[in-house]
Amino acid sequence: MLFFYLFIWVGNFSYLLLKTILHKYCNLIRAKTGLEALALFKENEVDLILMDIKMPEMTGIESLKEIRKLSKDIPVIMQSAYVFDSDMEAAKEAGASGFITKPINLKVLKNTISQYCPSIVW
């Protein structure tokens, strides 16, 4: 089973949407802040991280940099509703494996996840 470490800050709707889409394929672990995200990563073995760039307490970029100190191999897909080239470049420099935009496009989400977890059969 795939384990997601997932952060959605924009509200419950995005999390509930992703949970509805993904619950048949994986278990979700939800963090509400950047610091909680980092703590949950340290406490749980996960196969993939889907993380927002904009998070309270510690940004997604800052969390990603700390995660990369602990693991260079875990795929990290960053997401944001506010897409600027500078954000994508900062995510890439911090070690992001991929980047998706909100609102989340189901096909793009599934294709992106499948790149890093090819065993998932949609």
Side-chain angles (χ1 to χ4, degrees), residues 44-92:
N44 296 277
E45 282 192 40
V46 297
D47 297 304
L48 179 75
I49 298 171
L50 177 61
M51 184 163 42
D52 205 308
I53 284 183
K54 309 289 185 204
M55 299 194 303
E57 295 181 4
M58 176 185 277
T59 70
I61 300 295
E62 292 167 336
S63 296
L64 175 57
K65 288 177 181 178
E66 293 301 312
I67 287 168
R68 285 295 178 231
K69 290 177 184 177
L70 302 170
S71 173
K72 302 282 186 203
D73 300 325
I74 185 78
V76 180
I77 301 168
M78 300 299 290
Q79 62 179 359
S80 181
Y82 310 102
V83 182
F84 298 103
D85 288 340
S86 59
D87 287 338
M88 289 192 291
E89 187 60 34
K92 185 178 178 181

